[in-house]
Structures are given as C-alpha cells and as structure tokens.
Amino acid sequence: MDITYKETKEFEKGKLQDLFLSVNWQSGNYPDKLKTAMKNSYRVFSAWDGEKLIGLINCLSDEVMTSYFPYLLVNPEYHKKGIGKKLVKMMLEECRNHFRNSLIAYESAIEFYKSCGFTPGEGTRPLGIINEIE
C-alpha cells in the first residue's frame, strides 16, 4: 500500500461521498455541498491509495487568530496506519502561526486528538445548531 498525500480543494463529488459515508457521516448525503465546502476551506489535505480518496482534513481560518478543523476522517479500512495523525500533523504545521487551532471531537476520538497535542478546553462545551438542508 502506497499512500500519497495532497493539498487540493478539488474533488470529485463521488469520491467525497464515498469517504464520508464510509464513516457513516450524514454529510456524505450532500456531495455537492461537500464539494463546495472543500473549495471554500482555508486548506485541505487528503490521503490517497491510488485513485481512492481514503482520508481528509480541512481547515476554516481567519489566517491569524483562529483555525477550526471541521473534518478529519479516514476510511475505516485504513485505520491504525498513521494516516489520521499524518493529516493532523500536516494541518498543524500549516497553521503553526495561528493563535488557536480547535476542533470538536466525538468522545471516542478524544484520546486520538490528545495524542496529536490537543487538550480539552477547561469549562467549555461545544454548542451547535444543525439545520436541515437540501
């Protein structure tokens, strides 16, 4: 297995959809919106096994104070191979001069993110509103 990494915002919507659905994320049901989201991101790094998109991290940022990483996902067939850590490392290097790098993690991923250098915010909890979209 020869994994390659790319910085690109251009993806075929079917490849994005396949990746997002591989981890059972509802956003995979909106491939056109995902494609637009990637184009509108500050940076996107992806992992590939040949022509197969197997991992992705993206960042939204004001380029000075705050960077937010809404998506980090790796196809489950490729878990435990260092792909997620490599993607995080690439993004943190890109955002090294930003004051705050943040994300929202599922409980099951907290230890992974801690191993990448993230720490839980004292006394904070993520809040959000998820709207139905078409």
Side-chain angles (χ1 to χ4, degrees), residues 36-55:
T36 301
M38 294 307 114
K39 280 188 173 186
N40 291 339
S41 294
Y42 168 66
R43 292 283 187 277
V44 182
F45 294 108
S46 53
W48 299 81
D49 185 359
E51 294 296 313
K52 183 177 182 180
L53 176 63
I54 60 165

Side-chain angles (χ1 to χ4, degrees), residues 20 39 44 64 66 86 110 119:
F20 277 75
K39 280 188 173 186
V44 182
V64 178
T66 303
K86 171 81 172 173
I110 289 176
T119 57

Side-chain angles (χ1 to χ4, degrees), residues 96-110:
R96 69 189 172 280
N97 293 322
H98 302 176
F99 177 71
R100 178 180 293 111
N101 295 302
S102 62
L103 54 83
I104 297 173
Y106 290 107
E107 287 289 328
S108 61
I110 289 176

Side-chain angles (χ1 to χ4, degrees), residues 50-99:
E51 294 296 313
K52 183 177 182 180
L53 176 63
I54 60 165
L56 178 144
I57 188 170
N58 78 317
C59 175
L60 307 177
S61 180
D62 60 21
E63 302 184 39
V64 178
M65 291 298 292
T66 303
S67 294
Y68 172 65
F69 311 145
Y71 294 127
L72 169 64
L73 58 160
V74 175
N75 183 305
E77 295 174 26
Y78 295 86
H79 283 186
K80 306 288 186 195
K81 298 185 184 311
I83 296 165
K85 282 193 176 188
K86 171 81 172 173
L87 290 167
V88 170
K89 183 178 179 181
M90 292 169 71
M91 192 61 79
L92 287 175
E93 176 62 23
E94 181 65 34
C95 299
R96 69 189 172 280
N97 293 322
H98 302 176
F99 177 71

